[in-house]
mmCIF file of all heavy atoms in Angstrom:
data_model
loop_
_atom_site.group_PDB
_atom_site.id
_atom_site.type_symbol
_atom_site.label_atom_id
_atom_site.label_comp_id
_atom_site.label_asym_id
_atom_site.label_seq_id
_atom_site.Cartn_x
_atom_site.Cartn_y
_atom_site.Cartn_z
ATOM 1 N N PRO W 12 6.262 1.313 -0.035
ATOM 2 C CA PRO W 12 5.195 0.547 0.635
ATOM 3 C C PRO W 12 5.653 0.030 1.990
ATOM 4 O O PRO W 12 6.825 -0.264 2.192
ATOM 5 C CB PRO W 12 4.931 -0.607 -0.327
ATOM 6 C CG PRO W 12 6.141 -0.685 -1.197
ATOM 7 C CD PRO W 12 6.690 0.696 -1.295
ATOM 8 N N VAL W 16 2.832 -6.988 7.417
ATOM 9 C CA VAL W 16 2.645 -7.386 8.806
ATOM 10 C C VAL W 16 2.937 -8.870 8.925
ATOM 11 O O VAL W 16 2.425 -9.677 8.162
ATOM 12 C CB VAL W 16 1.191 -7.102 9.251
ATOM 13 C CG1 VAL W 16 0.975 -7.566 10.690
ATOM 14 C CG2 VAL W 16 0.888 -5.620 9.095
ATOM 15 N N ARG W 34 -0.438 -20.849 14.757
ATOM 16 C CA ARG W 34 0.005 -21.866 15.705
ATOM 17 C C ARG W 34 -1.098 -22.913 15.843
ATOM 18 O O ARG W 34 -2.109 -22.699 16.521
ATOM 19 C CB ARG W 34 0.335 -21.248 17.048
ATOM 20 C CG ARG W 34 1.592 -20.390 17.010
ATOM 21 C CD ARG W 34 2.010 -19.996 18.404
ATOM 22 N NE ARG W 34 3.220 -19.229 18.378
ATOM 23 C CZ ARG W 34 4.436 -19.729 18.425
ATOM 24 N NH1 ARG W 34 4.582 -21.049 18.482
ATOM 25 N NH2 ARG W 34 5.495 -18.955 18.411
ATOM 26 N N PHE W 51 -18.809 -29.344 30.387
ATOM 27 C CA PHE W 51 -18.929 -29.092 31.828
ATOM 28 C C PHE W 51 -20.229 -28.350 32.137
ATOM 29 O O PHE W 51 -20.976 -28.717 33.065
ATOM 30 C CB PHE W 51 -17.721 -28.291 32.304
ATOM 31 C CG PHE W 51 -17.786 -27.893 33.758
ATOM 32 C CD1 PHE W 51 -17.636 -28.851 34.749
ATOM 33 C CD2 PHE W 51 -18.001 -26.573 34.114
ATOM 34 C CE1 PHE W 51 -17.696 -28.489 36.090
ATOM 35 C CE2 PHE W 51 -18.059 -26.204 35.446
ATOM 36 C CZ PHE W 51 -17.901 -27.163 36.432
ATOM 37 N N ALA W 69 -42.786 -23.244 39.767
ATOM 38 C CA ALA W 69 -43.156 -22.260 40.779
ATOM 39 C C ALA W 69 -43.442 -20.899 40.154
ATOM 40 O O ALA W 69 -44.397 -20.211 40.536
ATOM 41 C CB ALA W 69 -42.036 -22.148 41.813
ATOM 42 N N GLN W 84 -56.176 -6.784 45.683
ATOM 43 C CA GLN W 84 -55.548 -5.484 45.889
ATOM 44 C C GLN W 84 -56.437 -4.349 45.402
ATOM 45 O O GLN W 84 -56.514 -3.286 46.041
ATOM 46 C CB GLN W 84 -54.202 -5.427 45.162
ATOM 47 C CG GLN W 84 -53.044 -6.053 45.921
ATOM 48 C CD GLN W 84 -51.728 -5.802 45.222
ATOM 49 O OE1 GLN W 84 -51.377 -6.475 44.265
ATOM 50 N NE2 GLN W 84 -51.008 -4.814 45.708
ATOM 51 N N PRO W 89 -54.257 -4.933 51.358
ATOM 52 C CA PRO W 89 -52.797 -4.844 51.144
ATOM 53 C C PRO W 89 -52.273 -6.082 50.413
ATOM 54 O O PRO W 89 -52.848 -7.171 50.525
ATOM 55 C CB PRO W 89 -52.236 -4.763 52.569
ATOM 56 C CG PRO W 89 -53.373 -4.314 53.413
ATOM 57 C CD PRO W 89 -54.616 -4.841 52.779
ATOM 58 N N VAL W 106 -54.466 -29.530 50.422
ATOM 59 C CA VAL W 106 -54.542 -30.475 51.541
ATOM 60 C C VAL W 106 -55.878 -31.212 51.521
ATOM 61 O O VAL W 106 -55.946 -32.426 51.790
ATOM 62 C CB VAL W 106 -54.338 -29.725 52.870
ATOM 63 C CG1 VAL W 106 -54.615 -30.651 54.056
ATOM 64 C CG2 VAL W 106 -52.917 -29.180 52.956
ATOM 65 N N VAL W 147 -64.348 -62.313 18.699
ATOM 66 C CA VAL W 147 -63.097 -62.932 18.257
ATOM 67 C C VAL W 147 -63.253 -64.410 17.945
ATOM 68 O O VAL W 147 -62.282 -65.080 17.585
ATOM 69 C CB VAL W 147 -61.993 -62.740 19.320
ATOM 70 C CG1 VAL W 147 -61.730 -61.274 19.556
ATOM 71 C CG2 VAL W 147 -62.369 -63.436 20.633
ATOM 72 N N GLY W 161 -54.189 -62.070 35.597
ATOM 73 C CA GLY W 161 -54.496 -62.200 37.018
ATOM 74 C C GLY W 161 -53.390 -62.888 37.793
ATOM 75 O O GLY W 161 -53.051 -62.479 38.904
ATOM 76 N N GLY W 183 -39.846 -42.573 45.962
ATOM 77 C CA GLY W 183 -40.575 -41.749 45.003
ATOM 78 C C GLY W 183 -41.633 -40.895 45.671
ATOM 79 O O GLY W 183 -41.795 -39.713 45.356
ATOM 80 N N ALA W 191 -43.017 -31.070 46.037
ATOM 81 C CA ALA W 191 -44.205 -30.226 46.182
ATOM 82 C C ALA W 191 -43.978 -29.134 47.224
ATOM 83 O O ALA W 191 -44.399 -27.975 47.035
ATOM 84 C CB ALA W 191 -45.409 -31.083 46.560
ATOM 85 N N LEU W 195 -44.066 -25.094 46.468
ATOM 86 C CA LEU W 195 -44.953 -24.190 47.206
ATOM 87 C C LEU W 195 -44.182 -23.042 47.836
ATOM 88 O O LEU W 195 -44.621 -21.874 47.794
ATOM 89 C CB LEU W 195 -45.715 -24.971 48.278
ATOM 90 C CG LEU W 195 -46.824 -25.903 47.779
ATOM 91 C CD1 LEU W 195 -47.418 -26.692 48.941
ATOM 92 C CD2 LEU W 195 -47.911 -25.111 47.074
ATOM 93 N N SER W 219 -35.214 4.404 26.869
ATOM 94 C CA SER W 219 -36.125 4.799 25.796
ATOM 95 C C SER W 219 -37.148 3.719 25.476
ATOM 96 O O SER W 219 -38.243 4.016 24.975
ATOM 97 C CB SER W 219 -35.320 5.128 24.539
ATOM 98 O OG SER W 219 -34.547 4.006 24.132
ATOM 99 N N VAL W 239 -53.840 -19.991 33.332
ATOM 100 C CA VAL W 239 -53.844 -20.940 34.451
ATOM 101 C C VAL W 239 -55.234 -20.998 35.078
ATOM 102 O O VAL W 239 -55.778 -22.089 35.343
ATOM 103 C CB VAL W 239 -52.783 -20.537 35.491
ATOM 104 C CG1 VAL W 239 -52.887 -21.415 36.731
ATOM 105 C CG2 VAL W 239 -51.388 -20.644 34.898
ATOM 106 N N SER W 247 -62.080 -28.075 36.727
ATOM 107 C CA SER W 247 -63.054 -28.140 37.823
ATOM 108 C C SER W 247 -64.439 -28.501 37.297
ATOM 109 O O SER W 247 -65.165 -29.297 37.914
ATOM 110 C CB SER W 247 -63.098 -26.801 38.562
ATOM 111 O OG SER W 247 -61.834 -26.469 39.093
ATOM 112 N N PHE W 251 -66.375 -31.870 38.468
ATOM 113 C CA PHE W 251 -67.672 -31.766 39.146
ATOM 114 C C PHE W 251 -68.755 -32.530 38.386
ATOM 115 O O PHE W 251 -69.521 -33.306 38.973
ATOM 116 C CB PHE W 251 -68.050 -30.297 39.296
ATOM 117 C CG PHE W 251 -69.378 -30.073 39.974
ATOM 118 C CD1 PHE W 251 -69.517 -30.303 41.332
ATOM 119 C CD2 PHE W 251 -70.480 -29.639 39.252
ATOM 120 C CE1 PHE W 251 -70.740 -30.109 41.962
ATOM 121 C CE2 PHE W 251 -71.702 -29.435 39.868
ATOM 122 C CZ PHE W 251 -71.834 -29.668 41.228
ATOM 123 N N PHE W 256 -72.256 -37.511 37.325
ATOM 124 C CA PHE W 256 -72.682 -38.551 36.388
ATOM 125 C C PHE W 256 -72.220 -39.931 36.831
ATOM 126 O O PHE W 256 -72.983 -40.905 36.753
ATOM 127 C CB PHE W 256 -72.138 -38.237 34.991
ATOM 128 C CG PHE W 256 -72.567 -39.217 33.947
ATOM 129 C CD1 PHE W 256 -73.831 -39.163 33.395
ATOM 130 C CD2 PHE W 256 -71.705 -40.227 33.519
ATOM 131 C CE1 PHE W 256 -74.245 -40.083 32.444
ATOM 132 C CE2 PHE W 256 -72.107 -41.151 32.564
ATOM 133 C CZ PHE W 256 -73.380 -41.078 32.029
ATOM 134 N N VAL W 281 -55.018 -33.125 25.166
ATOM 135 C CA VAL W 281 -55.190 -34.574 25.273
ATOM 136 C C VAL W 281 -55.585 -35.018 26.675
ATOM 137 O O VAL W 281 -55.851 -36.203 26.885
ATOM 138 C CB VAL W 281 -53.889 -35.305 24.862
ATOM 139 C CG1 VAL W 281 -53.568 -35.037 23.410
ATOM 140 C CG2 VAL W 281 -52.724 -34.908 25.757
ATOM 141 N N VAL W 315 -68.976 -30.719 23.920
ATOM 142 C CA VAL W 315 -69.432 -29.503 24.614
ATOM 143 C C VAL W 315 -68.240 -28.677 25.087
ATOM 144 O O VAL W 315 -68.227 -27.449 24.967
ATOM 145 C CB VAL W 315 -70.350 -29.886 25.802
ATOM 146 C CG1 VAL W 315 -70.707 -28.646 26.626
ATOM 147 C CG2 VAL W 315 -71.608 -30.573 25.300
ATOM 148 N N SER W 330 -55.398 -15.641 23.457
ATOM 149 C CA SER W 330 -55.917 -15.627 22.097
ATOM 150 C C SER W 330 -54.875 -16.270 21.187
ATOM 151 O O SER W 330 -53.947 -15.613 20.717
ATOM 152 C CB SER W 330 -56.210 -14.186 21.654
ATOM 153 O OG SER W 330 -56.700 -14.161 20.336
ATOM 154 N N ALA W 342 -45.599 -29.917 20.620
ATOM 155 C CA ALA W 342 -44.178 -29.604 20.770
ATOM 156 C C ALA W 342 -43.783 -29.517 22.242
ATOM 157 O O ALA W 342 -42.740 -30.036 22.649
ATOM 158 C CB ALA W 342 -43.853 -28.295 20.056
ATOM 159 N N LEU W 346 -41.051 -31.963 24.178
ATOM 160 C CA LEU W 346 -39.828 -31.427 24.778
ATOM 161 C C LEU W 346 -39.818 -31.536 26.297
ATOM 162 O O LEU W 346 -38.776 -31.832 26.891
ATOM 163 C CB LEU W 346 -39.651 -29.961 24.375
ATOM 164 C CG LEU W 346 -39.412 -29.686 22.888
ATOM 165 C CD1 LEU W 346 -39.376 -28.197 22.614
ATOM 166 C CD2 LEU W 346 -38.120 -30.343 22.418
ATOM 167 N N ALA W 352 -46.311 -29.496 28.095
ATOM 168 C CA ALA W 352 -47.638 -29.314 27.512
ATOM 169 C C ALA W 352 -48.430 -28.251 28.252
ATOM 170 O O ALA W 352 -49.210 -27.502 27.645
ATOM 171 C CB ALA W 352 -48.396 -30.646 27.526
ATOM 172 N N VAL W 369 -44.166 -5.720 19.271
ATOM 173 C CA VAL W 369 -42.777 -5.300 19.055
ATOM 174 C C VAL W 369 -42.378 -5.450 17.597
ATOM 175 O O VAL W 369 -41.936 -4.489 16.962
ATOM 176 C CB VAL W 369 -41.817 -6.104 19.960
ATOM 177 C CG1 VAL W 369 -40.372 -5.690 19.701
ATOM 178 C CG2 VAL W 369 -42.166 -5.900 21.422
#
Side-chain angles (χ1 to χ4, degrees):
V16 178
R34 290 190 178 271
F51 176 71
Q84 278 187 280
V106 172
V147 300
L195 287 176
S219 59
V239 173
S247 301
F251 180 72
F256 182 78
V281 297
V315 174
S330 179
L346 295 175
V369 178

